[in-house]
Amino acid sequence: MRKLEKLLIGAAVCALATPVVAQAEDQDMQKKIDELTKKVQKLEEQQKGSDQKKVEDLTRKVDRIEEKSLGKWLTIGGDYRFRVDSLRGDVAAHSDAIGTMNNLVGGFLGPNGVAGTPIGSADGTNSPTALQFIMMGKSGSLFTPSQFNTILNSYMPQAMAAALPGIFTAMGSGNFTVQNTALTPQQQGILNTLGAKVMPTVMNMQIGSIPNMLGLVQAMNPAATATTKVGDVFSGLPAAQQQLAQQMLMQAFLGQAGALNNNVSNLATTQAYKAKNDLLYTNRLGIDMHAKATKDVTVNVRLVAYKTFGSQDDSAVTNNGNTPFFADRVGAFDGTLGHVPTSSLLDVDRAYATWSNIAEQPIWFSVGRRPSTNGAPSNLRLNNERPGNGGTPALLVDYAFDGMTLGWAPDIDALPGAYAKVCYGRGFESGFETPSNSLRDTDMLGVALIPVDTDPLRVWLQWNRGFNIFDFPVMSNTAFGNTGPATSLGDIDWYGAGFMSTMKNIGPGKLNFFADAGLSVTHPNNNVSNNAGFQGLMTGSFFNQEAPTDKTGWAAYAGARYDYEPTKTKFGVEYNHGSKNWITFAPAADDMWTSKLGTRGDVYEAYLIQELNLKPISSHLSKAFFKIGYQYYDFAYTGSNNWVGAPQKISDIKSTDLMLLQPLKSAQDVYATFEVKF
């Protein structure tokens, strides 16, 4: 800079001296001035370039710092919710299957039981002692497979054999007939199952090995000997007497208390009652993170802690160790973590990476723990933003899947926002195949076509198939003990179609509405769940095995929400219906009783949302609101949200019918929340 000033001063002095110099020197002087001027201009340009370079260097440094700042590549948000529920339900009279089994086992292990005192040992039917039987078990489990086999192959046949002398004596009294010992349809089914699985062992026993049997039979048939088999005795009876003997045996084994049973029954009968929880408080915290890792690659994470007040487990919604009401509320498992109240620990609800703009095309690939919960149109009642292209229709799927998606969003003028995607998820990983493990993985494959996805209209078409559906998910400390898949029951197909739309300027607000329909088709294999009493994929009931057949069910879901914009008030109503054989895959739905969209019957819901008129600070989507709502479930069939066992009409249930889950005729939930999204 100083050099430039000296040159400028020199140029000025030369210019002032020009008038007193000779004309001959003028040209030389002018030349020098021109040269100096050029030098000055050159120096000015150099100085200017130097300053610009400094500015550019500084700009690059600022850009690099900004690019590395958290705010440039990482977005953090989340939500908090306080919720209170008041729950009421009407339970139908029934007999508890697990309680009845416990009574039976208690009888087997009692002082006069069959454990340790084998009957028919000549045929190889030995029983362990009560201590040996107990030692087969493991903490927290109801029955191990070994125990179950012992019950089925030793205890039951021996107990039935031990009852035969009393049965034959009672038959001789003439007080019992085919009519007054008639079985209910379910008891007849149980008898059929026992006839296939237990009675062959009984029929093969020698009467001499059954206490008090030989003399009784010889009184009727002197030719009988100790080696005469029970089957030979039965085959010698008239058909009506055989039927009576079997009915009386069944009544003695599982019937109600009465003259035949000495007023003692193994049935754990529950009379109709009203279940209620006046006030259930829950806390839920969600933390969302969105990271731009590289160009076109992002990572999304959602962590959730969801707990009841005063508890660090799921007992409040699973009936506190008693027989649960619904299959999706037996206990928390992989697909429902973070969606049913459990503990204050943060669970990874979502964690997935997405690569977009693949090969400069509108194609994306995403993998991880998927955003397969709270899909459209449930965002309306949850007061969430519309789900993006990562969601699934809530009527078919509401399950936290680990999986992947390949999507394509072509730019078609006639189909604005259209995209299609193929989704895959794993519901259960079976581990190594070994001689003792033949379980198969449970997988889900889905294809979604969204022909239109704009603000005023979103349309979806969906097909899913579940492969190798397991009987029980992995759960701990449930009313059934520690459960896990023991067999795969078959496959299920789902089909769905629906839309949601928004009409603006309807009065002072806007109207949102939707309609959705679903179809489920089961494809059972020949497997049944021993742990569920020989029930299959939508077939059979407890100890009442049924031949596998495909079952088709359907569901409809519709609703509307009006947003009164001047006061930020939103009012919504919803209705859904599920047919007898409807089964969805939505155990993670945000409903306390059970996923309402899996109901076999009708569900009505109304809610009111009042947002607070406060300026957003953490993000433009942040808000706080109160919500009150009411749900009414009217169950027509048993087994809502359960694919194990056949549905049974609620009004046909008898108090002697064995139920693995408590059947509700109706249920209500009055709820309120205070929610903050940040």
Side-chain angles (χ1 to χ4, degrees), residues 486-524:
T487 187
S488 60
L489 300 175
D491 306 328
I492 305 177
D493 281 313
W494 287 276
Y495 306 87
F499 76 94
M500 58 188 301
S501 181
T502 300
M503 297 176 65
K504 296 182 178 179
N505 301 320
I506 304 298
K510 61 183 179 183
L511 178 66
N512 309 277
F513 56 98
F514 66 87
D516 200 0
L519 192 72
S520 63
V521 184
T522 61
H523 309 290

mmCIF file of all heavy atoms in Angstrom, residues 486-524:
data_model
loop_
_atom_site.group_PDB
_atom_site.id
_atom_site.type_symbol
_atom_site.label_atom_id
_atom_site.label_comp_id
_atom_site.label_asym_id
_atom_site.label_seq_id
_atom_site.Cartn_x
_atom_site.Cartn_y
_atom_site.Cartn_z
ATOM 1 N N ALA A 486 -43.161 -71.439 18.602
ATOM 2 C CA ALA A 486 -42.903 -72.878 18.684
ATOM 3 C C ALA A 486 -43.164 -73.553 17.352
ATOM 4 O O ALA A 486 -42.674 -74.649 17.104
ATOM 5 C CB ALA A 486 -43.785 -73.510 19.768
ATOM 6 N N THR A 487 -43.946 -72.882 16.508
ATOM 7 C CA THR A 487 -44.241 -73.443 15.185
ATOM 8 C C THR A 487 -44.726 -72.318 14.281
ATOM 9 O O THR A 487 -45.143 -71.258 14.760
ATOM 10 C CB THR A 487 -45.333 -74.534 15.295
ATOM 11 O OG1 THR A 487 -45.496 -75.171 14.034
ATOM 12 C CG2 THR A 487 -46.662 -73.946 15.736
ATOM 13 N N SER A 488 -44.640 -72.539 12.990
ATOM 14 C CA SER A 488 -45.227 -71.593 12.039
ATOM 15 C C SER A 488 -46.538 -72.181 11.549
ATOM 16 O O SER A 488 -46.641 -73.385 11.270
ATOM 17 C CB SER A 488 -44.282 -71.338 10.865
ATOM 18 O OG SER A 488 -44.003 -72.520 10.163
ATOM 19 N N LEU A 489 -47.544 -71.315 11.463
ATOM 20 C CA LEU A 489 -48.906 -71.788 11.218
ATOM 21 C C LEU A 489 -49.368 -71.607 9.779
ATOM 22 O O LEU A 489 -50.415 -72.145 9.411
ATOM 23 C CB LEU A 489 -49.878 -71.047 12.150
ATOM 24 C CG LEU A 489 -49.610 -71.219 13.648
ATOM 25 C CD1 LEU A 489 -50.557 -70.348 14.464
ATOM 26 C CD2 LEU A 489 -49.756 -72.676 14.059
ATOM 27 N N GLY A 490 -48.614 -70.855 8.961
ATOM 28 C CA GLY A 490 -49.017 -70.655 7.575
ATOM 29 C C GLY A 490 -48.767 -69.233 7.128
ATOM 30 O O GLY A 490 -47.971 -68.501 7.732
ATOM 31 N N ASP A 491 -49.450 -68.825 6.047
ATOM 32 C CA ASP A 491 -49.246 -67.505 5.453
ATOM 33 C C ASP A 491 -50.563 -66.722 5.470
ATOM 34 O O ASP A 491 -51.644 -67.299 5.569
ATOM 35 C CB ASP A 491 -48.762 -67.628 4.009
ATOM 36 C CG ASP A 491 -47.511 -68.497 3.884
ATOM 37 O OD1 ASP A 491 -46.692 -68.497 4.839
ATOM 38 O OD2 ASP A 491 -47.366 -69.166 2.851
ATOM 39 N N ILE A 492 -50.435 -65.405 5.333
ATOM 40 C CA ILE A 492 -51.618 -64.532 5.247
ATOM 41 C C ILE A 492 -51.393 -63.510 4.139
ATOM 42 O O ILE A 492 -50.309 -62.918 4.042
ATOM 43 C CB ILE A 492 -51.885 -63.790 6.571
ATOM 44 C CG1 ILE A 492 -52.016 -64.769 7.737
ATOM 45 C CG2 ILE A 492 -53.166 -62.959 6.462
ATOM 46 C CD1 ILE A 492 -52.201 -64.083 9.084
ATOM 47 N N ASP A 493 -52.412 -63.315 3.313
ATOM 48 C CA ASP A 493 -52.414 -62.242 2.308
ATOM 49 C C ASP A 493 -53.319 -61.116 2.779
ATOM 50 O O ASP A 493 -54.385 -61.362 3.370
ATOM 51 C CB ASP A 493 -52.933 -62.752 0.957
ATOM 52 C CG ASP A 493 -51.869 -63.521 0.197
ATOM 53 O OD1 ASP A 493 -50.734 -63.019 0.111
ATOM 54 O OD2 ASP A 493 -52.169 -64.629 -0.280
ATOM 55 N N TRP A 494 -52.873 -59.882 2.494
ATOM 56 C CA TRP A 494 -53.698 -58.711 2.787
ATOM 57 C C TRP A 494 -53.806 -57.847 1.526
ATOM 58 O O TRP A 494 -52.819 -57.683 0.786
ATOM 59 C CB TRP A 494 -53.080 -57.850 3.889
ATOM 60 C CG TRP A 494 -53.161 -58.414 5.269
ATOM 61 C CD1 TRP A 494 -54.202 -58.334 6.152
ATOM 62 C CD2 TRP A 494 -52.140 -59.160 5.964
ATOM 63 N NE1 TRP A 494 -53.895 -58.974 7.332
ATOM 64 C CE2 TRP A 494 -52.635 -59.487 7.253
ATOM 65 C CE3 TRP A 494 -50.855 -59.587 5.628
ATOM 66 C CZ2 TRP A 494 -51.904 -60.203 8.179
ATOM 67 C CZ3 TRP A 494 -50.122 -60.304 6.549
ATOM 68 C CH2 TRP A 494 -50.648 -60.614 7.803
ATOM 69 N N TYR A 495 -54.975 -57.298 1.311
ATOM 70 C CA TYR A 495 -55.206 -56.362 0.208
ATOM 71 C C TYR A 495 -55.899 -55.128 0.794
ATOM 72 O O TYR A 495 -56.778 -55.250 1.659
ATOM 73 C CB TYR A 495 -56.106 -56.980 -0.861
ATOM 74 C CG TYR A 495 -55.615 -58.319 -1.387
ATOM 75 C CD1 TYR A 495 -55.961 -59.508 -0.734
ATOM 76 C CD2 TYR A 495 -54.803 -58.399 -2.515
ATOM 77 C CE1 TYR A 495 -55.516 -60.744 -1.199
ATOM 78 C CE2 TYR A 495 -54.354 -59.626 -2.992
ATOM 79 C CZ TYR A 495 -54.717 -60.794 -2.320
ATOM 80 O OH TYR A 495 -54.280 -62.016 -2.784
ATOM 81 N N GLY A 496 -55.509 -53.954 0.295
ATOM 82 C CA GLY A 496 -56.114 -52.735 0.814
ATOM 83 C C GLY A 496 -56.210 -51.649 -0.242
ATOM 84 O O GLY A 496 -55.406 -51.599 -1.180
ATOM 85 N N ALA A 497 -57.200 -50.775 -0.090
ATOM 86 C CA ALA A 497 -57.361 -49.614 -0.973
ATOM 87 C C ALA A 497 -58.042 -48.511 -0.177
ATOM 88 O O ALA A 497 -58.990 -48.785 0.576
ATOM 89 C CB ALA A 497 -58.197 -49.970 -2.203
ATOM 90 N N GLY A 498 -57.544 -47.288 -0.329
ATOM 91 C CA GLY A 498 -58.149 -46.197 0.419
ATOM 92 C C GLY A 498 -57.702 -44.845 -0.088
ATOM 93 O O GLY A 498 -56.883 -44.737 -1.008
ATOM 94 N N PHE A 499 -58.263 -43.806 0.527
ATOM 95 C CA PHE A 499 -57.890 -42.447 0.160
ATOM 96 C C PHE A 499 -58.125 -41.533 1.356
ATOM 97 O O PHE A 499 -58.882 -41.851 2.281
ATOM 98 C CB PHE A 499 -58.714 -41.941 -1.036
ATOM 99 C CG PHE A 499 -60.118 -41.558 -0.667
ATOM 100 C CD1 PHE A 499 -60.437 -40.229 -0.358
ATOM 101 C CD2 PHE A 499 -61.126 -42.512 -0.585
ATOM 102 C CE1 PHE A 499 -61.732 -39.870 0.009
ATOM 103 C CE2 PHE A 499 -62.411 -42.164 -0.221
ATOM 104 C CZ PHE A 499 -62.729 -40.846 0.073
ATOM 105 N N MET A 500 -57.461 -40.395 1.341
ATOM 106 C CA MET A 500 -57.754 -39.329 2.279
ATOM 107 C C MET A 500 -57.675 -38.017 1.520
ATOM 108 O O MET A 500 -56.886 -37.865 0.584
ATOM 109 C CB MET A 500 -56.802 -39.337 3.480
ATOM 110 C CG MET A 500 -55.330 -39.210 3.159
ATOM 111 S SD MET A 500 -54.278 -39.463 4.614
ATOM 112 C CE MET A 500 -54.867 -38.165 5.701
ATOM 113 N N SER A 501 -58.546 -37.075 1.905
ATOM 114 C CA SER A 501 -58.650 -35.837 1.149
ATOM 115 C C SER A 501 -58.875 -34.668 2.105
ATOM 116 O O SER A 501 -59.297 -34.850 3.254
ATOM 117 C CB SER A 501 -59.804 -35.929 0.144
ATOM 118 O OG SER A 501 -59.895 -34.743 -0.621
ATOM 119 N N THR A 502 -58.591 -33.480 1.592
ATOM 120 C CA THR A 502 -58.795 -32.250 2.360
ATOM 121 C C THR A 502 -59.519 -31.229 1.489
ATOM 122 O O THR A 502 -59.115 -30.981 0.353
ATOM 123 C CB THR A 502 -57.456 -31.666 2.823
ATOM 124 O OG1 THR A 502 -56.784 -32.617 3.637
ATOM 125 C CG2 THR A 502 -57.673 -30.384 3.615
ATOM 126 N N MET A 503 -60.596 -30.678 2.028
ATOM 127 C CA MET A 503 -61.322 -29.610 1.340
ATOM 128 C C MET A 503 -61.154 -28.328 2.154
ATOM 129 O O MET A 503 -61.552 -28.270 3.321
ATOM 130 C CB MET A 503 -62.802 -29.985 1.217
ATOM 131 C CG MET A 503 -63.036 -31.236 0.379
ATOM 132 S SD MET A 503 -64.786 -31.729 0.332
ATOM 133 C CE MET A 503 -65.480 -30.328 -0.550
ATOM 134 N N LYS A 504 -60.551 -27.325 1.523
ATOM 135 C CA LYS A 504 -60.299 -26.055 2.209
ATOM 136 C C LYS A 504 -61.496 -25.114 2.074
ATOM 137 O O LYS A 504 -62.372 -25.315 1.240
ATOM 138 C CB LYS A 504 -59.041 -25.402 1.639
ATOM 139 C CG LYS A 504 -57.771 -26.220 1.874
ATOM 140 C CD LYS A 504 -56.541 -25.506 1.344
ATOM 141 C CE LYS A 504 -55.280 -26.315 1.641
ATOM 142 N NZ LYS A 504 -54.070 -25.672 1.118
ATOM 143 N N ASN A 505 -61.476 -24.103 2.925
ATOM 144 C CA ASN A 505 -62.512 -23.063 2.892
ATOM 145 C C ASN A 505 -63.912 -23.634 3.062
ATOM 146 O O ASN A 505 -64.864 -23.241 2.388
ATOM 147 C CB ASN A 505 -62.421 -22.267 1.583
ATOM 148 C CG ASN A 505 -61.062 -21.609 1.424
ATOM 149 O OD1 ASN A 505 -60.491 -21.099 2.394
ATOM 150 N ND2 ASN A 505 -60.528 -21.645 0.208
ATOM 151 N N ILE A 506 -64.030 -24.616 3.936
ATOM 152 C CA ILE A 506 -65.356 -25.093 4.330
ATOM 153 C C ILE A 506 -65.733 -24.312 5.577
ATOM 154 O O ILE A 506 -65.306 -24.630 6.683
ATOM 155 C CB ILE A 506 -65.344 -26.609 4.610
ATOM 156 C CG1 ILE A 506 -64.814 -27.369 3.397
ATOM 157 C CG2 ILE A 506 -66.744 -27.075 4.992
ATOM 158 C CD1 ILE A 506 -65.658 -27.213 2.152
ATOM 159 N N GLY A 507 -66.481 -23.260 5.368
ATOM 160 C CA GLY A 507 -66.724 -22.344 6.468
ATOM 161 C C GLY A 507 -65.408 -21.672 6.856
ATOM 162 O O GLY A 507 -64.575 -21.356 6.009
ATOM 163 N N PRO A 508 -65.175 -21.512 8.129
ATOM 164 C CA PRO A 508 -63.930 -20.877 8.563
ATOM 165 C C PRO A 508 -62.773 -21.870 8.702
ATOM 166 O O PRO A 508 -61.733 -21.524 9.251
ATOM 167 C CB PRO A 508 -64.316 -20.312 9.937
ATOM 168 C CG PRO A 508 -65.366 -21.238 10.436
ATOM 169 C CD PRO A 508 -66.126 -21.709 9.249
ATOM 170 N N GLY A 509 -62.932 -23.057 8.213
ATOM 171 C CA GLY A 509 -61.872 -24.048 8.378
ATOM 172 C C GLY A 509 -61.773 -24.973 7.187
ATOM 173 O O GLY A 509 -62.165 -24.635 6.074
ATOM 174 N N LYS A 510 -61.244 -26.151 7.436
ATOM 175 C CA LYS A 510 -61.103 -27.138 6.369
ATOM 176 C C LYS A 510 -61.570 -28.495 6.865
ATOM 177 O O LYS A 510 -61.536 -28.795 8.065
ATOM 178 C CB LYS A 510 -59.665 -27.205 5.880
ATOM 179 C CG LYS A 510 -58.648 -27.615 6.929
ATOM 180 C CD LYS A 510 -57.239 -27.576 6.358
ATOM 181 C CE LYS A 510 -56.204 -27.958 7.416
ATOM 182 N NZ LYS A 510 -54.832 -27.863 6.893
ATOM 183 N N LEU A 511 -61.973 -29.337 5.914
ATOM 184 C CA LEU A 511 -62.508 -30.655 6.240
ATOM 185 C C LEU A 511 -61.581 -31.728 5.692
ATOM 186 O O LEU A 511 -61.263 -31.752 4.496
ATOM 187 C CB LEU A 511 -63.907 -30.813 5.632
ATOM 188 C CG LEU A 511 -64.576 -32.168 5.863
ATOM 189 C CD1 LEU A 511 -64.868 -32.380 7.350
ATOM 190 C CD2 LEU A 511 -65.867 -32.273 5.053
ATOM 191 N N ASN A 512 -61.151 -32.601 6.591
ATOM 192 C CA ASN A 512 -60.349 -33.758 6.202
ATOM 193 C C ASN A 512 -61.237 -34.997 6.308
ATOM 194 O O ASN A 512 -61.969 -35.159 7.288
ATOM 195 C CB ASN A 512 -59.150 -33.931 7.133
ATOM 196 C CG ASN A 512 -58.343 -32.667 7.291
ATOM 197 O OD1 ASN A 512 -57.499 -32.349 6.479
ATOM 198 N ND2 ASN A 512 -58.633 -31.914 8.360
ATOM 199 N N PHE A 513 -61.155 -35.887 5.338
ATOM 200 C CA PHE A 513 -61.949 -37.104 5.415
ATOM 201 C C PHE A 513 -61.216 -38.235 4.696
ATOM 202 O O PHE A 513 -60.332 -37.994 3.861
ATOM 203 C CB PHE A 513 -63.351 -36.895 4.841
ATOM 204 C CG PHE A 513 -63.373 -36.391 3.431
ATOM 205 C CD1 PHE A 513 -63.560 -37.246 2.360
ATOM 206 C CD2 PHE A 513 -63.202 -35.033 3.167
ATOM 207 C CE1 PHE A 513 -63.578 -36.784 1.062
ATOM 208 C CE2 PHE A 513 -63.216 -34.549 1.859
ATOM 209 C CZ PHE A 513 -63.398 -35.432 0.821
ATOM 210 N N PHE A 514 -61.618 -39.470 5.038
ATOM 211 C CA PHE A 514 -60.937 -40.628 4.459
ATOM 212 C C PHE A 514 -61.866 -41.832 4.465
ATOM 213 O O PHE A 514 -62.882 -41.875 5.175
ATOM 214 C CB PHE A 514 -59.664 -40.960 5.250
ATOM 215 C CG PHE A 514 -59.938 -41.417 6.663
ATOM 216 C CD1 PHE A 514 -60.184 -42.749 6.937
ATOM 217 C CD2 PHE A 514 -59.973 -40.506 7.706
ATOM 218 C CE1 PHE A 514 -60.435 -43.183 8.238
ATOM 219 C CE2 PHE A 514 -60.246 -40.927 9.006
ATOM 220 C CZ PHE A 514 -60.486 -42.266 9.271
ATOM 221 N N ALA A 515 -61.495 -42.823 3.670
ATOM 222 C CA ALA A 515 -62.155 -44.130 3.674
ATOM 223 C C ALA A 515 -61.124 -45.165 3.278
ATOM 224 O O ALA A 515 -60.236 -44.898 2.449
ATOM 225 C CB ALA A 515 -63.340 -44.156 2.710
ATOM 226 N N ASP A 516 -61.199 -46.329 3.910
ATOM 227 C CA ASP A 516 -60.209 -47.374 3.649
ATOM 228 C C ASP A 516 -60.898 -48.722 3.761
ATOM 229 O O ASP A 516 -61.828 -48.892 4.557
ATOM 230 C CB ASP A 516 -59.066 -47.270 4.671
ATOM 231 C CG ASP A 516 -57.799 -47.966 4.196
ATOM 232 O OD1 ASP A 516 -57.809 -48.529 3.082
ATOM 233 O OD2 ASP A 516 -56.794 -47.939 4.942
ATOM 234 N N ALA A 517 -60.434 -49.683 2.991
ATOM 235 C CA ALA A 517 -61.006 -51.034 3.039
ATOM 236 C C ALA A 517 -59.885 -52.054 2.964
ATOM 237 O O ALA A 517 -58.859 -51.823 2.307
ATOM 238 C CB ALA A 517 -61.990 -51.244 1.887
ATOM 239 N N GLY A 518 -60.061 -53.177 3.648
ATOM 240 C CA GLY A 518 -59.026 -54.211 3.661
ATOM 241 C C GLY A 518 -59.625 -55.599 3.548
ATOM 242 O O GLY A 518 -60.790 -55.822 3.907
ATOM 243 N N LEU A 519 -58.812 -56.514 3.038
ATOM 244 C CA LEU A 519 -59.213 -57.912 2.897
ATOM 245 C C LEU A 519 -58.062 -58.778 3.394
ATOM 246 O O LEU A 519 -56.905 -58.525 3.060
ATOM 247 C CB LEU A 519 -59.498 -58.221 1.417
ATOM 248 C CG LEU A 519 -60.199 -59.539 1.094
ATOM 249 C CD1 LEU A 519 -61.664 -59.475 1.506
ATOM 250 C CD2 LEU A 519 -60.088 -59.842 -0.407
ATOM 251 N N SER A 520 -58.382 -59.789 4.200
ATOM 252 C CA SER A 520 -57.348 -60.718 4.668
ATOM 253 C C SER A 520 -57.733 -62.136 4.260
ATOM 254 O O SER A 520 -58.900 -62.520 4.344
ATOM 255 C CB SER A 520 -57.193 -60.633 6.191
ATOM 256 O OG SER A 520 -58.386 -61.028 6.856
ATOM 257 N N VAL A 521 -56.748 -62.893 3.805
ATOM 258 C CA VAL A 521 -56.972 -64.287 3.397
ATOM 259 C C VAL A 521 -55.880 -65.142 4.029
ATOM 260 O O VAL A 521 -54.695 -64.945 3.744
ATOM 261 C CB VAL A 521 -56.937 -64.445 1.866
ATOM 262 C CG1 VAL A 521 -57.269 -65.884 1.483
ATOM 263 C CG2 VAL A 521 -57.886 -63.481 1.187
ATOM 264 N N THR A 522 -56.275 -66.073 4.896
ATOM 265 C CA THR A 522 -55.288 -66.920 5.564
ATOM 266 C C THR A 522 -55.063 -68.198 4.750
ATOM 267 O O THR A 522 -55.958 -68.689 4.073
ATOM 268 C CB THR A 522 -55.752 -67.306 6.971
ATOM 269 O OG1 THR A 522 -56.976 -68.052 6.873
ATOM 270 C CG2 THR A 522 -55.991 -66.065 7.819
ATOM 271 N N HIS A 523 -53.830 -68.713 4.862
ATOM 272 C CA HIS A 523 -53.465 -69.969 4.202
ATOM 273 C C HIS A 523 -52.774 -70.854 5.236
ATOM 274 O O HIS A 523 -51.539 -70.917 5.289
ATOM 275 C CB HIS A 523 -52.531 -69.698 3.017
ATOM 276 C CG HIS A 523 -53.045 -68.653 2.064
ATOM 277 N ND1 HIS A 523 -54.131 -68.869 1.244
ATOM 278 C CD2 HIS A 523 -52.633 -67.382 1.837
ATOM 279 C CE1 HIS A 523 -54.357 -67.774 0.523
ATOM 280 N NE2 HIS A 523 -53.470 -66.859 0.869
ATOM 281 N N PRO A 524 -53.552 -71.548 6.068
ATOM 282 C CA PRO A 524 -52.924 -72.346 7.124
ATOM 283 C C PRO A 524 -52.250 -73.585 6.566
ATOM 284 O O PRO A 524 -52.673 -74.151 5.557
ATOM 285 C CB PRO A 524 -54.117 -72.709 8.015
ATOM 286 C CG PRO A 524 -55.300 -72.691 7.100
ATOM 287 C CD PRO A 524 -55.016 -71.601 6.107
#
